[in-house]
Amino acid sequence: MGTGMGTGMGTGIGTGIGTGLGAAGADVVFAGVSFSYGGPSVLEAVDLVIAAGEFLGIVGPNGGGKSTLLKLMLGLLDPTAGRVTVFGQPPKAGRTRIGYCPQHPSFARDFPISVRDAVLLGRLGRSRAWGGYTAQDHAVATAALESTELLPVAGRQIGTLSGGQLQRVLIARALAAEPDLLILDEPTANIDQRVEGDIFELLKELNRRITVCVVSHDVGFVSGYVTRVACLNRTLVCHTTATLTGRAIADLYHAPVSMVDHHHHT
């Protein structure tokens, strides 16, 4: 919440600004973006285009700048250099078309709220400011629950859910905002491998109608689902999944591929 110019999808290696993906009509554009919190650069000369309808994975080591990239995209930070646009606007204006799914829920697991009510929170700021939720709000929330296969548990308290079900609630809440772009920060960090596959199958289905951008440290798993991988470690290089080699991963993590573990929590 969050590289130089290349040839884009034409060769499979690049930033997306080139012959394969143009900036015109793109959902998000980073152009020469650098950022520093006051010390060394966290991001340096990042060029990235997220095209409408794509499924992009952003991967990299801890401290590589992934969270900062998201914060710039969401207008929570301003770049030190370069420019970010979201749907052709400054991020603070364009972010109204983004659905954001954080790594951790913003509410305690024992908070007394039902699945449906948690999903309805995604309507805040999208509907009237007073008078309660409208019939349209409830219809949108029901559609989000259906898309994430949560209707059977809509009346349950969130504290009774499994990790995978809770992650689906966060996705459904983001979908309730009716976004054109869905951004997920480490959506499978705390769930087991089987459920991880279920979540990515869900995202693949959602990608049939909206753009999806997933931030992850798990390059091996993500590359099996996304159409393009943005490798970020201060600078950024994009690959199609077909061109994501062991050498590219080793260069990203500054370690042999065998040392880039595939961790899961049970």
Side-chain angles (χ1 to χ4, degrees):
M1 14 177 237
T3 156
M5 291 276 192
T7 56
M9 297 286 281
T11 63
I13 301 177
T15 62
I17 302 177
T19 59
L21 290 174
D27 286 2
V28 177
V29 178
F30 281 71
V33 171
S34 297
F35 182 81
S36 168
Y37 288 100
S41 292
V42 178
L43 298 175
E44 186 173 321
V46 169
D47 291 309
L48 173 67
V49 170
I50 302 178
E54 81 166 309
F55 192 164
L56 177 71
I58 300 176
V59 301
N62 292 334
K66 300 189 300 295
S67 294
T68 299
L69 191 80
L70 288 190
K71 289 176 181 177
L72 289 165
M73 203 181 302
L74 294 167
L76 301 177
L77 295 173
D78 296 317
T80 305
R83 186 183 181 203
V84 182
T85 57
V86 177
F87 297 104
Q89 300 178 288
K92 290 179 182 177
R95 69 187 178 192
T96 58
R97 295 172 63 184
I98 293 176
Y100 174 61
C101 187
Q103 181 175 350
H104 303 290
S106 56
F107 44 77
R109 286 292 297 269
D110 58 356
F111 188 78
I113 187 172
S114 71
V115 169
R116 177 177 287 277
D117 287 340
V119 173
L120 276 166
L121 292 174
R123 297 301 296 164
L124 297 177
R126 306 286 174 156
S127 187
R128 63 191 183 191
W130 55 273
Y133 294 113
T134 66
Q136 176 66 14
D137 292 333
H138 283 282
V140 171
T142 296
L145 288 163
E146 186 173 16
S147 294
T148 52
E149 301 178 343
L150 288 172
L151 273 179
V153 298
R156 284 175 53 180
Q157 297 291 298
I158 59 171
T160 68
L161 302 180
S162 67
Q165 287 173 321
L166 181 60
Q167 189 59 52
R168 286 175 181 265
V169 171
L170 298 179
I171 295 171
R173 183 180 64 176
L175 291 176
E178 299 181 286
D180 295 305
L181 168 63
L182 180 64
I183 297 176
L184 305 100
D185 187 4
E186 300 278 4
T188 59
N190 299 300
I191 57 181
D192 63 42
Q193 187 171 359
R194 179 188 60 79
V195 178
E196 182 175 16
D198 292 342
I199 293 295
F200 271 89
E201 287 294 338
L202 168 63
L203 297 178
K204 187 176 179 179
E205 180 63 28
L206 293 174
N207 182 233
R208 296 168 65 91
R209 56 187 174 90
I210 60 175
T211 307
V212 177
C213 175
V214 176
V215 172
S216 178
H217 68 282
D218 199 341
V219 61
F221 194 88
V222 166
S223 60
Y225 290 90
V226 300
T227 52
R228 204 163 51 112
V229 178
C231 298
L232 180 65
N233 191 359
R234 191 172 59 85
T235 59
L236 183 146
V237 177
C238 282
H239 301 263
T240 61
T241 53
T243 62
L244 187 61
T245 63
R247 175 61 184 271
I249 297 171
D251 288 345
L252 173 67
Y253 287 90
H254 302 304
V257 175
S258 60
M259 293 176 62
V260 182
D261 294 330
H262 191 90
H263 291 300
H264 295 280
H265 300 269
T266 57

